[in-house]
Amino acid sequence: MELSFWAATDVGRKREHNEDNFLIDKKLSLFVVADGMGGHASGEVASHIAVHEFRKSIDAKREVLSGFASGDGATVQDVLALLEQAVQTAGHAIFNRGRHEPDKRGMGTTISAMLVVGERGFIAHVGDSRIYMIRQGQVVQLTEDHSLVNELIRRGKVTRETLAKSPYSAYKNAVTRALGVYETVQVDTMDFEALPGDQFLLCSDGLHTYLDEPQLAAIVAGPHITTVPQQFVDLANERGGQDNITALVLRIQAPDAEVGDVRSEEITRKVDVLKQMPLFRHLTYKEILRVLNMTEVADYNTGEELIHEGDSGDEMYILLKGKIRLHKDGAFITHVLPGAHLGEMALIDRSPRSVSATAEERSRVLIMRRREFYEIIRKDPPLSVKLLWSFVQVLGDRLRKTTADLSGARQEATAADPSHDVLFDE
């Protein structure tokens, strides 16, 4: 895939120093934005150390990236671990500088970094700078602000609309995580399939404070990427410029347009199928991408069996295209069509399969396994609440349907032979 990119940074209208920093490494396909804090220009020092130490740490393990890109041993988890370690290394450097120079003690910085390797994007994030993805005109905030305001919003104490008039407005710039203030920090990481046509904005809060999603999408879509970051800077200054402003824009293109279209159609199909499923209907686009990361795609030829009754299994199958025949003891039960799923109980218990499933025509499915399902529940509490609540709703609906079916069958049996109904026989 081909990448094009451009960036701009500005001190804004209220600050004396620009404590933002950004870094672009074309060879590594690495993009970083950092927003420093600390006073006496210490924030500028912290953000400078962050971007350069982060880049140096990634470059020192370049073989992990090449191994992943070539499919030669390195895994997604290896790349994510490399990103996290690079953040911690940068944080140690900032912390140690502050420990040896008392006037810089307590300085820190945000960091939002994106790495493109092969056909995947990888993100590491601490603080309240942001990374947005614009895909097919839809804006997705890929990072979550580690800020007091965001935490208050999550807890329902305030809304974005009422923040300005609330007592919490005085703390609108307070972050709950920063790099370098302490020796270590909790890092958010994620990966996703990067598609031709995807566009990204990495920015400090001096920009995203003034943005709304329609404006963001319209500006990023400008014909000349070299002018887009400055347009963002100008907009933030026009609306007050209360803080330093940094915008880094990245676009992904495919050398082969036809291949790019096929991949885009495939990911769109996956997202659409998941969004229509009751299990995932409450998820945001970003959360659906996280769910997709814990699935794999498999193809089955006509007559090939996915599930055999009586066997144990830990997979749920989601049909993307084709047709699956469900049968028990050789007797036909029903067909599973695209958008439907089967085997979801395997995600929560190890009971033997109750039916068999066979591809009636060439079929493509998404497979989700119990281990990955539990992993995402463990690591992402807000997403896990949505998934488990949806799971309860699905099981509740199924229980009500089963109860209604049994009640109907009982009434039919009673109508046919009243002597069989002895429950109320006196």
Side-chain angles (χ1 to χ4, degrees), residues 185-199:
V185 69
Q186 184 179 348
V187 186
D188 287 353
T189 59
M190 72 172 291
D191 68 291
F192 55 92
E193 188 171 359
L195 298 177
D198 285 351
Q199 301 181 88

Side-chain angles (χ1 to χ4, degrees), residues 318-350:
I318 303 165
L319 187 59
L320 295 175
K321 62 180 179 180
K323 182 190 291 186
I324 303 296
R325 178 175 177 266
L326 297 186
H327 49 98
K328 185 176 180 65
D329 297 327
F332 171 76
I333 298 175
T334 189
H335 282 123
V336 176
L337 300 177
H341 63 280
L342 60 150
E344 71 276 7
M345 291 304 297
L347 296 181
I348 59 173
D349 67 25
R350 300 178 183 274

